[in-house]
Amino acid sequence: MSKVLKAIGLMSGTSLDGIDIALLETDGESIVRHGHCATIPYRESERELLRQALAEAVGLTAREQRPGKLKDIERQLTEWHGHVVAVFLRKLGLGPLDIDLIGFHGQSIIHRPEKALTVQLGDGPALARQTGISVVYDMRAADVAAGGQGAPLVPVYHRALVASVPKRPVAVVNIGGVANVSWIGADGELVAFDTGPGNALIDDWMKAKTSQIRDEGGAMALKGHVDETLAEQFLSHEFFATAGPKSLDRNSFAGIAMGDLSVEDGAATLVAVTARSIAAARLHFPSAPKRWIICGGGRHNKAIMSALTSLLPNVEPAEKFGFDGDSLEAAAWAYLAVRSFRKLPLTFPGTTGVGSEMTGGILAEAYANGPMN
């Protein structure tokens, strides 16, 4: 086994929920130990800034561009992450010298791989200076530049995660703002892609219609009825008929009008879109999974889990297998940071469509510009 490193993963991703943080010990191949994890919700003022960032990102044409308020929002976002790291370490009785790497995802504000463009807001060098810990960031960009989708990146972590789970193939589904799936075969083969909307459309619907930021527990959706015509309009999008690898922007379906549906019926309809698109992913697998492991915030939505259970066999939350379903994405980013540091591949032809397996990420070394003041 290569040297085991202690890494922190920071994930905010495509949702506007908050920052997930997780500690992981790994050599970039085997997972040695999952450590402490936490989720720090965004305040509403912070969510509003990120909504501004999403709106301003629409016109971006290059990864480095930060027009309007984006530069200042990126600075603030990075500072929030740095504060989260400081509090996290303090609670564990650890300091910067106890951690080898941070894997920093940042906030996805635009993802257009067909235009060779993906932008995750977050300043890696600034975070390294703030925390005193070396940071690996921008892990999607190299894959997109090489013609890949740049997403999903978590499949290689999912493969390591389920190494001890019996019965293959297995599908690991993460339901965040966008939902993605990793199919892991008997010999470790990987097939992965975004399946469709996750929580983002439901959250946006609730924000537009109520004072709530999400449909807590799926309560509204469970009271509503699916508008089958509207659900079919979503699911007739060409994205769903296309085999993977494929990926989505958070707002890929935002242009479809919801009409005058009630809050409950709108939530139920969007839940149906999420669940049915996940279930339809099986059409693009080499063989049917023997179990479906669900992680991410979407597994807390009882309406989504009920719909998935009615559509698929052996649907189980991540906790059934001893995993923390809220922290898996953050832990994945810690794992990927170590792989990047060791120059191991992050992406593969079967996961992003890139021509050959490749590594990625940029290393910002702590104190590269001198110690923090």
Side-chain angles (χ1 to χ4, degrees):
M1 180 184 289
S2 300
K3 182 182 178 182
V4 174
L5 301 180
K6 285 186 177 180
I8 284 175
L10 290 169
M11 169 60 66
S12 44
T14 57
S15 75
L16 301 179
D17 292 338
I19 299 169
D20 295 328
I21 184 169
L23 179 62
L24 186 74
E25 295 180 33
T26 180
D27 62 353
E29 296 177 280
S30 299
I31 296 170
V32 175
R33 191 176 77 88
H34 284 94
H36 191 66
C37 58
T39 297
I40 296 80
Y42 285 133
R43 296 188 291 265
E44 182 53 35
S45 59
E46 293 169 340
R47 290 192 185 94
E48 187 53 41
L49 276 179
L50 295 177
R51 292 186 191 104
Q52 289 181 35
L54 288 167
E56 295 204 18
V58 172
L60 291 180
T61 58
R63 187 166 59 91
E64 301 80 10
Q65 291 176 337
R66 297 293 186 271
K69 296 182 179 179
L70 282 182
K71 188 173 183 64
D72 185 57
I73 294 173
E74 182 170 54
R75 178 188 58 77
Q76 293 183 66
L77 177 80
T78 304
E79 289 176 356
W80 302 340
H81 281 75
H83 177 71
V84 166
V85 171
V87 172
F88 182 79
L89 291 179
R90 188 160 58 245
K91 286 184 176 179
L92 296 180
L94 300 174
L97 296 180
D98 297 309
I99 305 299
D100 296 297
L101 288 172
I102 291 174
F104 182 28
H105 183 279
Q107 185 74 37
S108 289
I109 56 172
I110 192 167
H111 184 70
R112 301 280 171 77
E114 73 281 3
K115 296 182 178 180
L117 178 64
T118 186
V119 179
Q120 285 70 51
L121 212 58
D123 187 332
L127 185 64
R129 291 193 297 271
Q130 184 179 350
T131 61
I133 303 169
S134 294
V135 173
V136 180
Y137 67 106
D138 230 354
M139 285 190 254
R140 300 188 189 277
D143 183 85
V144 169
Q149 292 287 310
L153 262 63
V154 293
V156 68
Y157 168 75
H158 286 160
R159 181 170 65 187
L161 184 72
V162 303
S164 61
V165 173
K167 297 183 181 179
R168 301 291 179 89
V170 61
V172 181
V173 180
N174 179 70
I175 309 176
V178 171
N180 59 68
V181 64
S182 302
W183 178 95
I184 301 120
D187 297 320
E189 314 97 293
L190 285 175
V191 173
F193 48 89
D194 286 351
T195 60
N199 304 314
L201 294 182
I202 303 168
D203 292 350
D204 290 349
W205 173 252
M206 295 301 294
K207 174 66 177 175
K209 293 291 185 176
T210 74
S211 59
Q212 301 175 46
I213 60 172
R214 68 178 66 89
D215 183 9
E216 199 68 50
M220 290 292 184
L222 289 171
K223 296 176 184 176
H225 297 88
V226 177
D227 184 314
E228 293 293 346
T229 300
L230 186 57
E232 181 55 35
Q233 184 181 350
F234 275 96
L235 294 169
S236 64
H237 192 286
E238 61 182 1
F239 175 85
F240 299 109
T242 305
K246 55 184 178 178
S247 63
L248 285 171
D249 182 74
R250 184 188 188 280
N251 293 323
S252 291
F253 298 89
I256 297 179
M258 296 287 288
D260 58 356
L261 292 184
S262 68
V263 174
E264 295 84 356
D265 289 352
T269 300
L270 293 173
V271 161
V273 171
T274 293
R276 292 176 191 179
S277 57
I278 291 170
R282 68 191 187 281
L283 301 176
H284 303 304
F285 294 154
S287 58
K290 294 184 178 178
R291 57 187 7 139
W292 294 73
I293 301 173
I294 314 299
C295 59
R299 83 192 188 293
H300 295 302
N301 186 310
K302 293 177 182 178
I304 291 177
M305 292 300 287
S306 176
L308 287 175
T309 301
S310 71
L311 293 167
L312 295 168
N314 302 317
V315 173
E316 302 284 359
E319 285 72 15
K320 173 74 178 291
F321 303 92
F323 311 141
D324 185 312
D326 288 322
S327 71
L328 288 191
E329 287 274 289
W333 238 250
Y335 181 79
L336 291 169
V338 175
R339 287 185 70 86
S340 174
F341 183 76
R342 293 191 54 209
K343 307 300 183 187
L344 295 171
L346 307 186
T347 58
F348 307 81
T351 63
T352 67
V354 70
S356 59
E357 63 181 40
M358 65 181 298
T359 190
I362 301 170
L363 176 65
E365 294 188 47
Y367 306 139
N369 296 316
M372 293 184 295
N373 294 321

